[in-house]
Amino acid sequence: MQNSPVSKLILEGREFFVKRDDLIDPFLAGNKYRKLYALLKTPQQNYNKIISYGGTQSNAMLAIAAMCKQKGWEFLYYTKPLSKTLKELQEGNYFHALSLGMLHYELEEKHYKNFIVSLRLNLDEKTYIIDQGGADKSVREGMEVLAREIREANLDFDALATPSGTGTSALYLALALPEYRVYTTASVGDAEYLKEQMSALNEIPKNLIILEAEKKYHFAKPYADFLEVYKKLLNAGVEFDLLYAPLLWKCLLEQTQEKILYVHSGGVSGNASMLKRYKQKGMD
Ligand SMILES: *Cc1c(COP(=O)(O)O)cnc(C)c1O
């Protein structure tokens, strides 16, 4: 695997660098590639089955499906019940993950939590469980490889930025590059919740900064100002995802001044279905 490239982006007269992890692979890209790096490097014969659970539009699900296909591992994915519309959709992460061989199981809402807990109780040594969103200490290894690539590129910048869901990526990026500030934003829940999630993995380092917007945004909802930022970025030459990137870019433009390297977290494969929802709301 070669180092992912770096693009320059001019936005509101400011110059940004973008580490193009979105270009690594159509499905196994962005921070999900970095997060699964250690597993990808694991000898094929160590496992025959990967189990995970979570949302049915999740980028992690799609990346794990692509990894399992590559490795010849079976992939079992558990979710709460799914709508008929999503099941029949011929595009998007769920559709692609199934076509990569994912075995999907729906659990009744009332049994979901207990079932997920019970997965670990009767586990054989050839099965590996990846928690929702890939929050795992093994992510450190992939982020250290990313840090090495960033140092090798020898770029002139003052701070890094990458958006957070569980915060696993931003946390390990900040730990791997202690000489830079790392900006992030909480896309799922608020900053307090994000800190809690991160603290469960490691002490939060001083160089990690969580920016907060004035307005409260709910995860995966369409917002006119998010679409506006998305389009501005697209016009400047790079497509970003619609769930995580717009909030961080908004905060970077409003609250920072220095030269920033933005680590593209991927997720562009989910844009088709999200853009449809924007359209249904009369925003496009
Ligand atoms: C998963 C994901 C994130 C969040 O990553 P965490 O490590 O959970 O914080 C950010 N951006 C995109 C596009 C993602 O798919």
Side-chain angles (χ1 to χ4, degrees):
M1 179 67 213
Q2 281 183 337
N3 292 5
S4 69
V6 174
S7 301
K8 261 189 196 173
L9 196 84
I10 311 278
L11 210 61
E12 298 185 357
R14 269 172 80 180
E15 193 175 81
F16 293 89
F17 290 120
V18 182
K19 177 76 171 152
R20 302 298 304 277
D21 278 3
D22 55 313
L23 301 177
I24 291 172
D25 178 270
F27 300 132
L28 183 45
N31 67 16
K32 301 307 180 289
Y33 168 80
R34 305 292 180 183
K35 291 172 92 167
L36 293 171
Y37 183 85
L39 262 176
L40 268 164
K41 296 293 156 196
T42 303
Q44 195 271 339
Q45 66 272 18
N46 285 19
Y47 300 112
N48 55 26
K49 192 190 291 177
I50 304 291
I51 298 177
S52 190
Y53 58 93
T56 40
Q57 296 283 34
S58 140
N59 296 324
M61 169 194 75
L62 179 60
I64 297 168
M67 171 184 75
C68 288
K69 172 134 183 131
Q70 230 180 77
K71 302 292 278 189
W73 295 335
E74 199 172 35
F75 175 33
L76 278 58
Y77 193 70
Y78 294 95
T79 71
K80 291 174 186 172
L82 216 62
S83 74
K84 193 159 173 283
T85 329
L86 180 55
K87 271 186 197 160
E88 288 169 356
L89 205 63
Q90 298 293 305
E91 63 181 7
N93 290 352
Y94 180 69
F95 172 76
H96 288 299
L98 286 180
S99 63
L100 289 164
M102 175 179 82
L103 301 170
H104 173 228
Y105 300 94
E106 289 169 271
L107 299 168
E108 273 183 67
E109 185 95 35
K110 60 177 191 257
H111 297 312
Y112 185 80
K113 261 208 172 116
N114 281 334
F115 183 87
I116 298 304
V117 171
S118 76
L119 282 171
R120 281 212 158 78
L121 300 178
N122 28 36
L123 204 60
D124 68 84
E125 59 187 22
K126 291 253 178 180
T127 302
Y128 190 88
I129 299 184
I130 302 174
D131 280 316
Q132 179 155 13
D136 194 295
K137 289 190 192 234
S138 73
V139 172
R140 183 165 212 147
E141 190 179 331
M143 283 301 160
E144 276 166 6
V145 174
L146 170 60
R148 197 154 66 228
E149 287 185 25
I150 289 171
R151 289 197 182 105
E152 278 171 17
N154 231 333
L155 304 162
D156 179 27
F157 63 92
D158 307 306
L160 291 144
T162 206
S164 284
T166 63
T168 315
S169 305
L171 173 70
Y172 286 116
L173 186 65
L175 287 166
L177 288 163
E179 67 271 40
Y180 295 104
R181 272 186 304 283
V182 175
Y183 290 116
T184 194
T185 39
S187 294
V188 185
D190 60 10
E192 277 314 305
Y193 177 68
L194 178 60
K195 280 186 205 159
E196 251 174 58
Q197 302 248 94
M198 290 176 170
S199 301
L201 294 166
N202 202 95
E203 193 183 322
I204 301 174
K206 294 258 181 313
N207 61 322
L208 182 59
I209 297 158
I210 302 173
L211 299 175
E212 292 180 80
E214 273 169 35
K215 194 174 135 187
K216 171 105 195 75
Y217 297 93
H218 296 277
F219 186 60
K221 284 232 170 88
Y223 293 100
D225 47 354
F226 278 11
L227 188 64
E228 191 187 317
V229 181
Y230 164 83
K231 283 185 181 164
K232 220 187 261 184
L233 290 160
L234 193 60
N235 283 334
V238 183
E239 182 170 18
F240 288 86
D241 83 281
L242 278 155
L243 304 188
Y244 299 91
L247 174 62
L248 179 54
W249 276 108
K250 259 182 80 71
C251 290
L252 290 175
L253 290 169
E254 289 166 7
Q255 301 174 34
T256 71
Q257 263 110 43
E258 67 267 59
K259 184 111 190 236
I260 290 174
L261 167 66
Y262 186 107
V263 178
H264 200 309
S265 55
V268 175
S269 62
N271 284 354
S273 46
M274 199 59 198
L275 284 169
K276 244 183 210 166
R277 288 181 53 200
Y278 271 102
K279 218 175 178 141
Q280 281 162 3
K281 295 227 162 195
M283 294 183 260
D284 56 8

